[in-house]
Amino acid sequence: MSSTPRSTLGRLSERARTDRADLYAVLDAGLVCHLGIVLDGAPVVLPTGYGRDGDTLYLHGSTGASTLRAAATGIPVCVTVTHLDGVVYARSVFHHSMNYRSAVVHGTARLVTDEQQRLDGLRALVEQLAPGSWTHARLPDRKELAATTVLALDLAEASVKVRTGPPGDDAEDVANPAYWAGVLPVRMVWGEAEPAPDLAPGTPTPDHVSARPRPGVHAAHEG
Amino acid sequence: MSSTPRSTLGRLSERARTDRADLYAVLDAGLVCHLGIVLDGAPVVLPTGYGRDGDTLYLHGSTGASTLRAAATGIPVCVTVTHLDGVVYARSVFHHSMNYRSAVVHGTARLVTDEQQRLDGLRALVEQLAPGSWTHARLPDRKELAATTVLALDLAEASVKVRTGPPGDDAEDVANPAYWAGVLPVRMVWGEAEPAPDLAPGTPTPDHVSARPRPGVHAAHEG
């Protein structure tokens, strides 16, 4: 990843990861990103889906969405993906922390107009949200495509931060047996699939839904 | 909540909630917010902890953190908290969606200097991240307090969006038995507490850790 002042960590730089594989892993394990743009001088941060194809991050939305319209005009954006992995309980409240993985991508989103690239982007978006749906579900028709804005963002300027492990307590606090310290892990899990009320009774839930690997973990890291 | 153009939904306004109780519920159920600020004209979105006390949202960080320093200068900020509740599989990729709850707060963060309010803010932050720790763990000493920036943000301009329920498919797709449709719920769960390696063997895990209600759901909504 390129190193610019805003993508270089000013604090706790031991938490920074610089491998592109780490960036891909954090992005690929996520379902929601937080998209930041500047509107009238003020920041706006909205949750939205995303997809990755190589070194391109795709965003999409309705052609009527003002945020997407603004982002499509070539203004700077920031896309952040965060996985919370645990709450770090220290002996002191000061050293309480979180275990997490996060990726922050800076850049300028561009409106994708090439029809093939629009489809590539939509496929990446759909497969990030719902792997297998691009094959299983009905693909977008001309009217649906016309109603959809697709934006692309190069993964050129990005930073990854990861915290793992136990709390870092002060020695005098460690010596005091009154305090508990450790990590309470947290993870995302799927519940049981809920068929739509208008689905024909007896319709089996397909494997790409019922056997979906749990979110928040990149497949290669699942072990 | 006040209604301003940026906190009023331009799209899908049926997803908007206007009760203050909904805002509190989304905020109180969260562990991480995404803080947006503008630095050199570009948005920066970073994950961070937060806490709520009445109609005040608290943020904190090291006095050395440039983002926090910037936010403390009275510039506009946006704080967004998102809970993902499910992936919505539709018959068409176009109608794929997510079930979620999100709160977006706009305002100007102010540096908290009053010592009592700084403690109130830190307590709210610690109790959001680790309920029970303000009582169990060692409270901050003078040096730790001096190293901590506490910011406050009024919950004056905020919006809440919620999507629940099955996909909204087109009639012709519903009639086609080739497609599955439904919701794959997702939630956060705690793993088993991991005592710190330097904790004395046999130290019991306190109830506020081992019996912690699961994240993502406000206690009053847990049922």
Side-chain angles (χ1 to χ4, degrees), chain A residues 79-135:
Chain A
V79 172
T80 300
V81 173
T82 304
H83 306 284
L84 183 63
D85 291 324
V87 174
V88 180
Y89 291 77
R91 277 90 168 175
S92 62
V93 302
F94 183 77
H95 284 299
H96 272 59
S97 187
M98 298 185 202
N99 284 337
Y100 66 93
R101 294 158 286 146
S102 70
V104 178
V105 181
H106 295 279
T108 302
R110 60 182 185 278
L111 185 67
V112 180
T113 54
D114 177 78
E115 279 308 310
Q116 185 56 53
Q117 200 193 349
R118 277 164 53 81
L119 283 172
D120 291 345
L122 290 173
R123 186 182 55 223
L125 277 147
V126 167
E127 291 292 299
Q128 181 94 22
L129 175 68
S133 279
W134 193 258
T135 316

Side-chain angles (χ1 to χ4, degrees), chain A residues 56 58-60 63 72-74 109-122 142 145-146 148-153:
Chain A
T56 304
Y58 288 100
L59 304 168
H60 80 318
T63 49
T73 59
R110 60 182 185 278
L111 185 67
V112 180
T113 54
D114 177 78
E115 279 308 310
Q116 185 56 53
Q117 200 193 349
R118 277 164 53 81
L119 283 172
D120 291 345
L122 290 173
R142 194 176 307 182
L145 284 172
T148 305
T149 298
V150 179
L151 301 182
L153 176 64

